[in-house]
Amino acid sequence: MAKQLDFLARGQIIPTALHQEMERSYLEYAMSVIVGRALPDVRDGLKPVHRRILYAMHELGLTPDRPFRKCARVVGDVLGKYHPHGDQSVYEALVRMVQDFSSRYPLLSGHGNFGSIDNDPPAAMRYTETRLAEIGDRSLLAGISDTIVDFTGNFDNSQQEPVVLPAQLPILVLNGCSGIAVGMATNIPPHNLGEVVDGLIALIDRPDLDDEKLLEIIPGPDFPTGGEILDTAGIRDAYRTGRGLIPTRGIARIETLRIEAKRRKERTAIIVTELPYQVNKAAWIEKTAELVNQGKIEGIADIRDESDRDGIRVVIELKRESDPRAILNTLYQQTALQTNFGAILLALVDNIPRQLSLRELLQEFLRFREETLTRQYTDELGQASDRLHLVEGLLLALENIDRVIDILRHAPDGTIAKYRFQEELGCSETQADSILAMPLRRLTGLEREKLQNEAEELRQKIQNLQTLLENRPEFLKALKKELRGLKKKFGDARRTKIRGRESVGDKREESGKKEAVDGKKADIEPRKGKVSPSPESPAAGKDSGEKKRETTTRKSEVSASGGSPAAVKDSEEKKPEGEVKKRERKAKPVVEETEAPVLSLFTPQEPPENAILVLTDDDRISWTTPDDRSLVNENILYREPIRQRENFIVILDTGKAYPIPVREVPPKLSQPIYLSSLLTKTAQKESDRVLNQFFLSEGQKNQDLLFLSQQGRIKRLPLAELEGLGNRGLSLIKLKEDDRLAFAVFTREGQDLALATSSGRVLRYPVRDEMIPLTGRVTQGNPIIRLRYGEQIVGCAPIERSGNLLLLSRAGYGKRMAIDSLRLSQLGDLGSPALQFSQKTDSLVTMVAARPNSSISLRTDRDRTLILAVEMVRLQGKDGTGDRVVPLKNDERIATARVLYNE
């Protein structure tokens, strides 16, 4: 007591009124909860825990093209580096970002049990795996750095974390958000990406756009679970004032079920296929059953949950003589089948909670995006200017190379040489340092040309960046282009209907957006950018037994034996009989001596501007120039101008695509290499053959990639899915362990797809979304053909409906036939016999599109190469064995067939 009185006497205790201290402390606590936990930031639409999870996964390298990682590892990193709270709170936030029924556009992808719409708990974090979803990585973390957004220290100043992510899309509006703070709450509904992007572009073009026009572009929320919105009054209130009550209802229909019973075979039922957002299906069924047992709802005989991976299906069987519409109305009134969504558009603006209208939400995002883009362009401009300064110094040294060498020869040390460079050449200190560090290879003419090209590109880039920074219309044009690209990449069709407004969203998204089913869920994906094959793109892949051999002598002859003309080129090989396939890859082809210098794989060089990439039928790859006449006697599979494109894409039978740098392809006169040798070691080990190869081109916009596996599963993929292709490759189709990819071809809507089996039957399918839907990369595809025992798929040819097919058997019999002579097939059909065999041991070896002036390279089991001109094969009907079109020796059979490049 004496000590306490002594403290008072010395003035070390400051008297404070209790009510003032409580008020101040409570306000500090409330703001801490509001800013640090409960409310999202209007700029990137994230709460701190979500932002920290995404950034920690970015730091771990868990991009969409990398393998999944255990959630426990992610949670541990988040707790240890950025978020010192409970692990369950972090894991629950992570789980919600994976659930497709919680988020309209999930920011994370997951493997394992992440819960269900029945409120089943997710598996423990040690069992589940996750990584960034493509939309989360692209729209929130692309190019993140401290020059674009501000960073701050974490809780112990041992790490730096972003204050906000550089969002390219208004995630707050797209995914919505819910949170309860102290004295306030937020509940923002999710919206459709395409509609929101259209609204942003409209606000960029017309900042004074009135609310009615904005409501026409964004008619209302778009919930991930579908359902319907009953009226627009609550939407208008929410969008104009920031608060509104939006009545939502599940989707139900009345059906008549056929039941095998003694007295009665039919029963009326109500089928519920969609529920309102955030309604627990199991709890709703339990509540409905409880009301029936209590007698509050009459006329229901049974309730069954028949939901599966394809979607929700709850069957409510009704009693005889009951009124189904009256019962459905009762369900709407007394259960959660109809509920109200209370929208509260509350978010943090400059760390202050504000209730915003929809227009203000979008305008705040645009203001933030303009700020981040300005910082990004400024940083890129600075880097480009610095690099140009160094490149100009190197070019200055090359122009005065004799003087540079003289200075270096007579300088006692590097410091003196650096000083003399600055004095005599007039260069800066950084340029002098770069000249001293310049390797000798920079003295070559090719390196000089590369430096000049780089300097020109940098000047152009600097000019473009300065235009963007100084010219606001160009800046906004670039912003709109970016938004349209994201809409094309991630946009999809509206899921929630709005009464009286169905046509608004449907018409806007109808063009190019179809439904695709993927294992556990039904995703609705947009019709994304596609690629059309150039005439030289091969339509059929290489057979699995095809070998890589080198040709030492070539002979060409024309034969018309047996009344069946054919153009034939023989290729005799100098190889021991019975040589194993594995040894063939290691064999080096014999090359004639020339005066040109021989380059190896270890001396890559950039092809010139007019270079042409060439792939032969024995898989040798090289580049040449248009005036090169050495290709006259070559059998060319693929020929395409390079046009300064950096990567050449190949698709393997593993279902993965890999880029091949063009600069690693040797010139024609150098030591030839095989296409497979340019792949990574992992790709070489996993794959046996290349199915297709192509350059991505702007002119290829209305085409899709079509895949067919050996077990008869088919899928169609927009070529835009190849974005993000890296050196590790990109999986384009999910294959079973015992399945491989058989064909990878280009197609488009309006064509027919012909499939052929080794038994000689052919199936014809129309290429349209109802038959072969567009799907994402992670899908397996749908079964399209039933294979008999020992039967294989030997042909997959997209063809115009007025075109012809060429069928060829292993014994050398073949014919052409019109695609119109085959009937259209349904999924799982057996097809039509199109080629009969005169020998029991014979079988179909290939079926390709018979294009005018085209030829086919045939390889026999005796290592002979034969060239068959398609037009020399007679046009016949689907009945018969065809003609003997290829002269073969006794017991010789055709092993593989590949379509050659056609001018």
Side-chain angles (χ1 to χ4, degrees):
M1 180 63 70
K3 290 183 179 181
Q4 293 177 0
L5 292 175
D6 186 49
F7 287 149
L8 287 172
R10 294 180 182 180
Q12 296 180 357
I13 295 178
I14 302 174
T16 303
L18 181 60
H19 69 281
Q20 294 178 354
E21 179 63 25
M22 290 294 294
E23 180 180 354
R24 184 182 61 83
S25 300
Y26 187 77
L27 284 175
E28 289 179 356
Y29 162 74
M31 288 304 299
S32 172
V33 172
I34 290 169
V35 175
R37 297 192 188 185
L39 296 186
D41 194 299
V42 72
R43 296 172 292 179
D44 60 4
L46 301 173
K47 298 178 184 179
V49 63
H50 301 118
R51 187 179 302 114
R52 288 162 177 168
I53 290 172
L54 292 169
Y55 183 68
M57 294 178 67
H58 173 74
E59 289 289 289
L60 286 171
L62 300 184
T63 53
D65 57 339
R66 301 290 296 277
F68 288 86
R69 191 75 64 87
K70 289 290 186 182
C71 292
R73 171 66 189 277
V74 176
V75 172
D77 265 37
V78 174
L79 293 179
K81 293 182 178 179
Y82 310 115
H83 199 74
H85 300 282
D87 59 343
Q88 279 304 312
S89 63
V90 176
Y91 184 50
E92 288 173 5
L94 185 151
V95 165
R96 283 188 61 83
M97 287 195 287
V98 176
Q99 293 172 339
D100 59 342
F101 54 86
S102 295
S103 300
R104 182 64 176 83
Y105 299 96
L107 302 177
L108 304 180
S109 301
H111 267 178
N113 174 21
F114 283 89
S116 71
I117 199 171
D118 290 329
N119 203 28
D120 296 323
M125 67 180 77
R126 61 182 179 274
Y127 299 122
T128 55
E129 298 177 336
T130 187
R131 68 183 179 192
L132 290 167
E134 189 171 4
I135 187 173
D137 184 55
R138 169 80 180 275
S139 66
L140 284 173
L141 295 161
I144 184 172
S145 68
D146 56 1
T147 59
I148 298 177
V149 292
D150 294 331
F151 276 64
T152 185
N154 65 343
F155 57 90
D156 61 356
N157 278 328
S158 62
Q159 301 278 339
Q160 290 289 309
E161 61 174 317
V163 175
V164 64
L165 298 184
Q168 300 179 25
L169 288 171
I171 299 298
L172 183 61
V173 180
L174 297 180
N175 276 341
C177 184
S178 61
I180 301 175
V182 179
M184 59 187 68
T186 184
N187 198 26
I188 302 174
H191 292 77
N192 183 269
L193 188 148
E195 296 173 353
V196 171
V197 169
D198 290 342
L200 289 171
I201 294 175
L203 285 175
I204 293 173
D205 293 334
R206 296 179 55 191
D208 58 345
L209 186 72
D210 58 55
D211 291 338
E212 288 299 326
K213 293 293 184 181
L214 187 60
L215 281 171
E216 289 180 5
I217 300 172
I218 307 177
D222 187 21
F223 299 109
T225 54
E228 65 176 348
I229 298 174
L230 300 183
D231 63 59
T232 60
I235 298 175
R236 291 175 179 271
D237 291 340
Y239 285 180
R240 289 175 175 173
T241 67
R243 280 182 180 268
L245 208 59
I246 303 174
T248 60
R249 176 183 287 181
I251 300 297
R253 64 177 183 271
I254 299 172
E255 292 184 2
T256 301
L257 304 179
R258 294 187 175 274
I259 301 175
E260 296 298 331
K262 295 182 179 179
R263 296 183 178 180
R264 185 180 179 186
K265 295 185 178 180
E266 293 183 352
R267 174 169 284 181
T268 304
I270 297 173
I271 310 297
V272 178
T273 56
E274 295 177 13
L275 290 173
Y277 184 48
Q278 295 178 335
V279 169
N280 183 338
K281 175 165 63 68
W284 170 71
I285 294 175
E286 184 179 352
K287 177 65 175 179
T288 303
E290 182 180 343
L291 293 174
V292 172
N293 293 333
Q294 293 175 356
K296 296 181 179 180
I297 300 179
E298 298 180 352
I300 295 179
D302 188 24
I303 303 177
R304 295 192 307 275
D305 186 0
E306 298 180 357
S307 304
D308 55 15
R309 294 179 176 178
D310 295 331
I312 295 174
R313 179 181 170 87
V314 179
V315 180
I316 303 175
E317 289 190 10
L318 307 182
K319 296 179 180 178
R320 186 181 301 179
E321 305 300 334
S322 59
D323 184 357
R325 297 194 177 277
I327 296 175
L328 184 56
N329 288 331
T330 304
L331 290 173
Y332 287 145
Q333 294 171 5
Q334 300 190 26
T335 70
L337 192 57
Q338 177 176 324
T339 185
N340 292 325
F341 184 91
I344 306 174
L345 310 185
L346 184 71
L348 293 175
V349 181
D350 298 328
N351 279 339
I352 299 174
R354 279 182 54 193
Q355 184 172 302
L356 306 168
S357 65
L358 178 64
R359 171 195 295 276
E360 291 171 333
L361 281 176
L362 298 180
Q363 288 175 339
E364 288 293 336
F365 168 75
L366 288 175
R367 181 172 64 86
F368 169 68
R369 187 58 187 152
E370 184 175 347
E371 177 187 337
T372 55
L373 278 179
T374 301
R375 294 176 64 169
Q376 177 183 333
Y377 293 155
T378 303
D379 179 59
E380 291 178 0
L381 179 61
Q383 292 182 8
S385 300
D386 293 342
R387 178 58 184 169
L388 178 60
H389 185 64
L390 294 180
V391 172
E392 288 175 343
L394 295 177
L395 289 173
L396 178 64
L398 292 176
E399 292 174 359
N400 302 274
I401 188 62
D402 294 334
R403 186 61 186 149
V404 169
I405 294 175
D406 185 64
I407 292 173
L408 290 173
R409 182 182 293 122
H410 297 92
D413 54 33
T415 303
I416 300 300
K418 175 181 174 181
Y419 174 75
R420 293 188 63 185
F421 284 154
Q422 293 177 252
E423 289 292 326
E424 300 184 21
L425 299 181
C427 59
S428 67
E429 183 178 355
T430 56
Q431 287 177 330
D433 287 332
S434 65
I435 294 173
L436 286 173
M438 180 175 63
L440 289 177
R441 62 184 175 85
R442 290 287 192 187
L443 303 180
T444 62
L446 185 61
E447 290 293 330
R448 181 195 300 264
E449 183 180 352
K450 286 178 62 177
L451 286 174
Q452 292 173 346
N453 293 337
E454 184 182 0
E456 186 61 32
E457 291 175 359
L458 287 171
R459 292 189 187 100
Q460 184 63 40
K461 182 178 181 180
I462 289 172
Q463 182 179 353
N464 294 337
L465 291 171
Q466 288 175 342
T467 301
L468 289 173
L469 290 171
E470 297 171 1
N471 191 335
R472 182 168 176 77
E474 290 296 324
F475 182 92
L476 296 178
K477 183 179 178 180
L479 175 56
K480 290 190 291 184
K481 182 179 179 181
E482 176 189 83
L483 290 172
R484 291 192 183 101
L486 292 170
K487 175 185 174 182
K488 184 178 180 181
K489 176 71 175 176
F490 301 111
D492 57 5
R494 166 172 281 276
R495 300 183 188 179
T496 301
K497 299 177 182 178
I498 302 176
R499 285 217 172 168
R501 295 294 299 272
E502 288 86 348
S503 60
V504 175
D506 295 345
K507 288 182 180 178
R508 182 180 295 110
E509 302 296 339
E510 184 180 9
S511 174
K513 295 176 175 63
K514 301 293 180 181
E515 184 174 357
V517 178
D518 172 18
K520 297 183 179 180
K521 62 182 180 180
D523 293 331
I524 300 177
E525 298 188 352
R527 178 184 297 279
K528 302 175 183 174
K530 306 166 192 173
V531 168
S532 62
S534 52
E536 59 270 27
S537 297
K542 186 173 59 173
D543 188 80
S544 60
E546 184 173 353
K547 304 174 182 180
K548 294 188 174 103
R549 312 198 187 274
E550 57 279 351
T551 304
T552 56
T553 61
R554 292 184 179 271
K555 301 178 183 179
S556 59
E557 62 181 26
V558 177
S559 173
S561 60
S564 303
V568 181
K569 182 189 287 185
D570 291 349
S571 176
E572 299 294 335
E573 309 290 337
K574 292 183 179 180
K575 271 187 176 284
E577 294 185 1
E579 188 168 4
V580 185
K581 295 180 186 178
K582 292 183 179 178
R583 295 180 54 191
E584 317 242 342
R585 287 189 180 182
K586 300 179 180 179
K588 296 182 179 179
V590 178
V591 182
E592 297 182 0
E593 294 183 359
T594 64
E595 296 180 358
V598 178
L599 302 179
S600 69
L601 285 176
F602 303 101
T603 57
Q605 64 182 73
E606 294 287 346
E609 293 183 358
N610 63 341
I612 298 173
L613 189 137
V614 176
L615 181 68
T616 61
D617 64 340
D618 56 354
D619 282 336
R620 287 179 294 134
I621 188 170
S622 61
W623 62 261
T624 184
T625 55
D627 55 352
D628 185 6
R629 301 300 178 188
S630 64
L631 297 175
V632 174
N633 297 324
E634 295 280 359
N635 299 329
I636 300 175
L637 284 179
Y638 184 84
R639 177 190 174 104
E640 176 74 9
I642 296 176
R643 295 172 185 162
Q644 297 183 346
R645 289 175 284 198
E646 295 181 355
N647 290 323
F648 176 68
I649 299 175
V650 297
I651 299 178
L652 308 182
D653 60 348
T654 58
K656 296 186 71 173
Y658 287 88
I660 294 180
V662 172
R663 68 184 309 271
E664 294 184 8
V665 178
K668 178 69 174 63
L669 297 179
S670 68
Q671 180 179 352
I673 62 173
Y674 292 113
L675 177 60
S676 60
S677 65
L678 296 178
L679 297 171
T680 62
K681 293 183 179 180
T682 303
Q684 293 181 28
K685 291 179 181 179
E686 294 176 350
S687 176
D688 294 325
R689 57 192 178 123
V690 176
L691 299 181
N692 205 339
Q693 58 281 321
F694 53 90
F695 281 112
L696 283 178
S697 174
E698 287 294 331
Q700 302 168 326
K701 292 184 178 179
N702 61 337
Q703 298 287 315
D704 303 315
L705 278 171
L706 186 140
F707 302 105
L708 181 67
S709 74
Q710 293 176 355
Q711 295 183 1
R713 301 189 75 91
I714 194 168
K715 72 175 288 184
R716 195 156 59 104
L717 183 75
L719 203 77
E721 292 285 349
L722 285 176
E723 291 185 8
L725 179 63
N727 293 332
R728 292 179 174 269
L730 197 66
S731 293
L732 304 181
I733 181 173
K734 187 177 181 181
L735 295 171
K736 296 182 178 179
E737 292 183 0
D738 56 344
D739 198 7
R740 304 287 278 188
L741 200 59
F743 294 93
V745 297
F746 291 104
T747 186
R748 68 173 185 272
E749 278 199 344
Q751 288 185 322
D752 282 347
L753 180 68
L755 305 181
T757 67
S758 56
S759 64
R761 59 189 179 102
V762 179
L763 299 89
R764 173 191 172 197
Y765 297 96
V767 179
R768 60 172 185 261
D769 290 327
E770 294 79 6
M771 181 67 66
I772 310 173
L774 284 168
T775 61
R777 291 189 294 106
V778 296
T779 60
Q780 290 184 347
N782 301 319
I784 195 171
I785 185 173
R786 289 185 294 169
L787 294 175
R788 298 166 180 167
Y789 179 76
E791 193 177 32
Q792 297 177 348
I793 300 175
V794 296
C796 174
I799 187 172
E800 302 298 334
R801 293 177 180 174
S802 59
N804 298 328
L805 297 172
L806 172 66
L807 288 82
L808 191 65
S809 75
R810 295 192 181 276
Y813 289 87
K815 65 179 177 181
R816 280 190 299 155
M817 57 181 296
I819 186 70
D820 290 337
S821 62
L822 298 171
R823 63 178 178 84
L824 289 175
S825 303
Q826 299 295 326
L827 294 179
D829 278 1
L830 294 176
S832 305
L835 185 66
Q836 290 74 40
F837 306 114
S838 58
Q839 305 173 14
K840 291 184 178 180
T841 58
D842 199 7
S843 62
L844 193 67
V845 67
T846 189
M847 178 210 67
V848 298
R851 296 186 175 88
N853 302 321
S854 61
S855 301
I856 300 177
S857 173
L858 306 174
R859 182 65 64 93
T860 70
D861 55 3
R862 295 191 179 182
D863 295 333
R864 284 204 307 151
T865 299
L866 312 173
I867 306 301
L868 174 65
V870 170
E871 293 185 340
M872 304 299 288
V873 182
R874 191 160 58 97
L875 188 65
Q876 305 178 41
K878 65 178 182 179
D879 298 322
T881 59
D883 301 326
R884 185 70 176 266
V885 296
V886 180
L888 299 174
K889 300 177 182 178
N890 293 335
D891 297 328
E892 187 180 25
R893 291 291 183 267
I894 298 174
T896 62
R898 307 181 74 178
V899 179
L900 294 178
Y901 168 75
N902 183 20
E903 293 284 354

